[in-house]
Amino acid sequence: MTAAISLPLRIGARTIWRIDRRLVPVSISLDDGLRGAPPVLPSLPREAEGYLIRALPAALLGLLMAARPDLRPFVRQRYQRSYASLEGDFDAYLASFSSKSRSTLKRKLRKLTERSGGMLDIRDCRAPEDVDAFHRDARAVSTKSYQERLLAAGLPDGEETRTEMRDRAARDAMRGWLLFVDGAPISYLYAPAEGDTLIYAHLGYDPAFSEFSPGTVLQLEAMRDLMEEGRFRLFDFTEGDGQHKRQFGTGALECVDLLLLRPTLPNLLIGHALRAFDGAVALAKAVAARTGLERLARSLLR
């Protein structure tokens, strides 16, 4: 199905411009990516300018390009798609972390537990009747979080979102968690499911509690909950190479987001402009990392 898709030009967390094209979106599931089977692209409608393929395993890039020589490829980004196996024992999972990481996690857990009066107040959401309260409290956190304020990646508002969440809950295809302190929500995690894979969709926390690392603690307790439950097999942390995803992941798949465009003049100009912009941002990031300015640049962009 063709969709009007905005292709963002980003510097750090900030989107400075968007280019709109009519594209056929194709997303590769984690299961398909791990199997390594080349994706079968749907037919390209006449009105579409090409495909936007997300989370394509980098190892399949050459095969896909060879299969569609009539289209021009432009890689938007390369990244590690982190994931975690949920099939093992939680203690064994925690033991797989480095001693430093285990010590850090235990310290954060202890610090927030003490702030909470000796016991964490974590409430889960998995049934349709839980959705409205979960969404209300999660939205209260999301509006304060940097994920929503700076990245426009907060939990969506509105009845349409609640309806979808209720439908997923009725099919046992979602999980949600809320962390409370003094009776008020301070962090949330929402993960819809595809089959037996949960997807890291939305996480946020109240910045007033940042010294207690509430997002990290909530993720840790969610992993504990999921491994004890045994319902799901994988947790997909999706794109990005953040510390949070590297810390909790047990594996990673090298992926690319790929534009395959019809070779018209406007498309070629757009494709090369995006490639040049992405390359310049990557180069600037590498220079900042080498010169020790990366943290300063990140804080200024926020």
Side-chain angles (χ1 to χ4, degrees), residues 93 141 247 265 285:
Y93 167 71
V141 176
Q247 183 175 37
L265 180 59
K285 183 177 179 180

Side-chain angles (χ1 to χ4, degrees), residues 2-287:
T2 305
I5 295 178
S6 291
L7 303 172
L9 281 73
R10 291 196 180 104
I11 300 178
R14 297 198 175 189
T15 297
I16 63 171
W17 197 260
R18 293 180 181 273
I19 299 174
D20 296 330
R21 304 305 284 165
R22 293 191 62 78
L23 302 168
V24 176
V26 178
S27 294
I28 311 300
S29 71
L30 179 58
D31 260 347
D32 288 343
L34 292 174
R35 282 198 296 267
V40 177
L41 300 180
S43 60
L44 190 62
R46 183 183 300 273
E47 71 275 9
E49 299 293 343
Y51 299 95
L52 173 59
I53 305 170
R54 294 187 174 95
L56 174 72
L60 301 178
L61 183 57
L63 286 175
L64 189 60
M65 288 165 54
R68 293 305 303 261
D70 56 316
L71 302 176
R72 297 295 180 268
F74 297 94
V75 173
R76 285 301 325 264
Q77 60 175 337
R78 296 178 179 268
Y79 53 89
Q80 296 291 315
R81 183 179 190 176
S82 296
Y83 62 89
S85 170
L86 300 174
E87 294 183 300
D89 174 76
F90 178 76
D91 289 337
Y93 167 71
L94 197 58
S96 69
F97 289 33
S98 70
S99 58
K100 181 179 179 181
S101 292
R102 287 197 305 273
S103 176
T104 299
L105 285 171
K106 289 177 180 178
R107 175 177 53 79
K108 291 179 178 180
L109 179 62
R110 182 172 60 251
K111 184 177 180 180
L112 185 54
T113 301
E114 291 172 354
R115 172 62 182 82
S116 301
M119 181 176 296
L120 293 178
D121 183 1
I122 297 177
R123 309 173 195 180
D124 67 359
C125 171
R126 63 180 66 186
E129 58 268 24
D130 299 332
V131 165
D132 284 353
F134 172 82
H135 184 265
R136 179 196 66 225
D137 292 332
R139 278 295 304 156
V141 176
S142 186
T143 56
K144 303 174 185 177
S145 70
Y146 84 89
Q147 288 89 348
E148 179 160 330
R149 292 186 294 105
L150 298 178
L151 305 179
L155 183 69
D157 201 0
E159 183 57 34
E160 183 177 350
T161 297
R162 290 189 292 273
T163 298
E164 179 187 355
M165 292 172 68
R166 283 192 291 266
D167 176 67
R168 284 188 169 278
R171 294 184 285 111
D172 196 27
M174 61 80 78
R175 291 291 184 271
W177 296 267
L178 283 160
L179 173 61
F180 288 76
V181 170
D182 299 333
I186 67 164
S187 185
Y188 78 95
L189 171 61
Y190 173 63
E194 289 183 3
D196 58 4
T197 298
L198 276 173
I199 301 167
Y200 179 88
H202 300 286
L203 179 140
Y205 62 87
D206 184 341
F209 288 85
S210 59
E211 65 177 293
F212 297 98
S213 306
T216 299
V217 171
L218 185 58
Q219 182 73 60
L220 179 67
E221 292 305 299
M223 301 301 281
R224 187 197 306 272
D225 187 27
L226 290 169
M227 290 179 185
E228 290 176 353
E229 179 189 6
R231 159 70 176 85
F232 297 98
R233 186 171 60 88
L234 293 168
F235 196 100
D236 182 3
F237 285 100
T238 69
E239 68 182 63
D241 193 32
Q243 172 65 24
H244 184 91
K245 299 180 180 185
R246 290 196 304 271
Q247 183 175 37
F248 288 101
T250 60
L253 187 63
E254 186 179 353
C255 292
V256 300
D257 285 351
L258 178 68
L259 280 170
L260 279 178
L261 300 177
R262 296 187 193 273
T264 64
L265 180 59
N267 283 344
L268 294 176
L269 290 174
I270 288 171
H272 286 295
L274 289 171
R275 177 183 288 168
F277 178 85
D278 293 339
V281 171
L283 178 61
K285 183 177 179 180
V287 170

